[in-house]
Amino acid sequence: MYPRRVLAASASVPAMLRSWRATAAICAASGRCVRRPCGRRLLMAKSKFEYVRDFETDDTCLPNCWIVVRLDGRNFHRFAEQHEFKKPNDDRALHLMTKCAQTVMQELEDIAIAYGQSDEYSFVFKKKSRWFKRRASKFMTHVVSQFASSYVFYWKDYFKDQQLLYPPGFDGRIVLYPSNQNLKDYLSWRQADCHVNNLYNTVFWMLVQRSGLTPVQAQDRLQGTLAGDKNEILFSEFNINYNNEPLMYRKGTVLIWQKVNEVITKKIKLPKETEEKEVEVTRTRTKVVPLHCDIIGDQFWEEYPEILAEDG
């Protein structure tokens, strides 16, 4: 009924199982993984050394919580000085940070939204994400390593002839937020921090660069001043209306997923024609899009309700 070759193969299956069991027994007794003649490793059997796995810490994130991974540049004040970043804001550095964050989101698609300013970025994973079995260490190491490697990889695209003198470092942390309001307040906190820091830095560097004060003198001048005082210094002494400064400086950068239409050119061959023709085709893709807008108020969340949607 069956070909002789199939019967022979079927008859050899029990023998193969006996061989594998014998090999597994050898592995268990010796604590070593035995190789097949072809050089491939067999599945590692249990050994007396496997107890070391008991030392691993269970770092599973709580269910139904937003998982936020925030990374910061390590000692970036020195890094910025060594690489001659423009003060108070360097568009090259800010755009490079955003490019790295976009790369992270494209690799880890369970990120619902990201927010960045200066040398930091926060990545928000969905509440119901099951990536990496919700292990905190996996979330953090994947985000930080992908971001850091992207920073080096794309450096030349933004800094052109400026040589990267040494590898940048980034550290990360994970915080869980159980409610939508907690998450919104967290992002509002980071954007408020962006405003406070940028206003201070804008006035500080105007005093240094245009008024000729030393950094210590500029710091003393601004000590104890409020936001209104800093705005008055900018306007009265430097004719700068802070509200007219670029939104990217004042508000930071928000990254969200959006459907966008792309026009591409394709070559097609029409019936009864010998040569191919180029035609434009429009297709819809979901991409990571940067926005520079206010996220403290309700308008942003009303405009993009899918970010907080349970099944988003």
Side-chain angles (χ1 to χ4, degrees), residues 170 246 298:
F170 296 89
D298 294 329

Side-chain angles (χ1 to χ4, degrees), residues 153-191:
F153 185 82
Y154 291 111
W155 172 267
K156 288 186 178 180
D157 292 350
Y158 296 89
F159 283 84
K160 307 302 179 183
D161 297 330
Q162 171 71 52
Q163 183 181 1
L164 183 62
L165 301 178
Y166 59 90
F170 296 89
D171 65 73
R173 73 199 71 184
I174 283 188
V175 185
L176 305 182
Y177 294 101
S179 72
N180 291 354
Q181 190 60 50
N182 292 151
L183 176 66
K184 290 163 67 175
D185 288 346
Y186 168 78
L187 294 171
S188 297
W189 171 49
R190 299 321 303 148
Q191 188 167 71

